[in-house]
Amino acid sequence: DAKTTQPPSMDCAEGRAANLPCNHSTISGNEYVYWYRQIHSQGPQYIIHGLKNNETNEMASLIITEDRKSSTLILPHATLRDTAVYYCIVRATGRRALTFGSGTRLQVQP
Amino acid sequence: GAVVSQHPSWVICKSGTSVKIECRSLDFQATTMFWYRQFPKQSLMLMATSNEGSKATYEQGVEKDKFLINHASLTLSTLTVTSAHPEDSSFYICSAPLGGTTRTDTQYFGPGTRLTVL
């Protein structure tokens, strides 16, 4: 699986946008980028995924650079309930299971 | 969205006993499910892939005779931890894929089962 690099922790003020970066410089052309989050003591929750175009859903936006070597997950208006560990995962071709890295611990401050 | 449940949500058992954990896809069918394990302050690690109608495939270093997996139906996979020991205490999480293709499907995770072996 292509390796991902994320900052270990970030803080964000409630109501502000949270921008979580991820580097995946060894990504292959047909590998997708997935984002999940894990709130304490719960199973991971799917957020969004994309290949090369920017994606948006009701939870977040995913911005992938043109060279696909990095991406940013954007939570437009963070709330306290968004406090969680966020995982950026590059899904290997032909592999359905996910390989989790250490993720970014996002703390939303009141 | 798709819902995956697990039962029990937590279990405490004595060393040497066996514990069964169930994973169900509530509103969709899954021929494949995945079992992960997460130790405190660590990330999720894939243990095995559960396949309906065939044997499970285990990741390197995971003992297949200790962690028995049975994919009994298109909505149920079970993980049995046999002869549990304190080092098996962990958070066990299952997932099932839905939608897209095998390249683009989305994994939906259960809420997890916390196992404590005394």
Side-chain angles (χ1 to χ4, degrees):
Chain A
D1 297 347
K3 181 177 173 57
T4 61
T5 303
Q6 299 178 253
S9 64
M10 293 182 64
D11 286 344
C12 175
E14 189 177 19
R16 304 297 294 269
N19 297 282
L20 292 92
C22 178
N23 286 322
H24 31 78
S25 59
T26 61
I27 192 170
S28 297
N30 57 356
E31 291 178 327
Y32 282 73
V33 179
Y34 281 76
W35 283 82
Y36 282 78
R37 71 181 182 184
Q38 186 177 26
I39 296 170
H40 184 62
S41 294
Q42 297 182 24
Q45 177 188 22
Y46 167 77
I47 301 174
I48 199 167
H49 74 279
L51 181 63
K52 55 184 178 181
N53 297 319
N54 297 339
E55 302 286 347
T56 296
N57 63 18
E58 64 278 5
M59 288 184 68
S61 294
L62 173 60
I63 308 298
I64 302 174
T65 58
E66 191 169 346
D67 63 8
R68 302 209 328 119
K69 293 184 176 181
S70 66
S71 60
T72 301
L73 178 74
I74 301 173
L75 307 179
H77 305 286
T79 71
L80 297 179
R81 289 177 295 180
D82 292 322
T83 292
V85 178
Y86 287 77
Y87 296 100
C88 168
I89 301 168
V90 172
R91 182 165 165 182
T93 302
R95 181 173 169 83
R96 300 180 79 183
L98 300 175
T99 301
F100 287 80
S102 52
T104 295
R105 183 172 299 277
L106 175 68
Q107 180 70 50
V108 180
Q109 306 283 358
Chain B
V3 179
V4 176
S5 70
Q6 285 184 238
H7 178 80
S9 55
W10 59 270
V11 57
I12 301 173
C13 70
K14 293 182 178 180
S15 185
T17 61
S18 294
V19 174
K20 180 185 285 188
I21 302 170
E22 293 185 348
C23 175
R24 294 182 185 271
S25 53
L26 296 186
D27 48 2
F28 65 102
Q29 294 181 335
T31 57
T32 300
M33 293 183 177
F34 301 94
W35 287 95
Y36 296 79
R37 179 167 56 180
Q38 185 175 33
F39 292 107
K41 299 189 184 301
Q42 295 185 22
S43 192
L44 284 78
M45 293 294 293
L46 179 68
M47 296 177 65
T49 301
S50 175
N51 303 297
E52 192 270 336
S54 63
K55 291 183 179 180
T57 54
Y58 292 81
E59 296 299 296
Q60 190 172 5
V62 177
E63 300 176 58
K64 63 179 181 180
D65 294 331
K66 181 170 183 61
F67 299 99
L68 301 180
I69 291 173
N70 180 30
H71 203 126
S73 73
L74 290 174
T75 60
L76 173 64
S77 174
T78 60
L79 169 68
T80 300
V81 183
T82 63
S83 186
H85 290 283
E87 57 265 30
D88 299 321
S89 298
S90 189
F91 193 48
Y92 292 86
I93 310 168
C94 69
S95 73
L98 177 66
T101 67
T102 55
R103 282 182 58 219
T104 64
D105 54 25
T106 296
Q107 295 288 334
Y108 291 92
F109 287 81
T113 297
R114 186 162 302 282
L115 170 64
T116 301
V117 184
L118 302 177

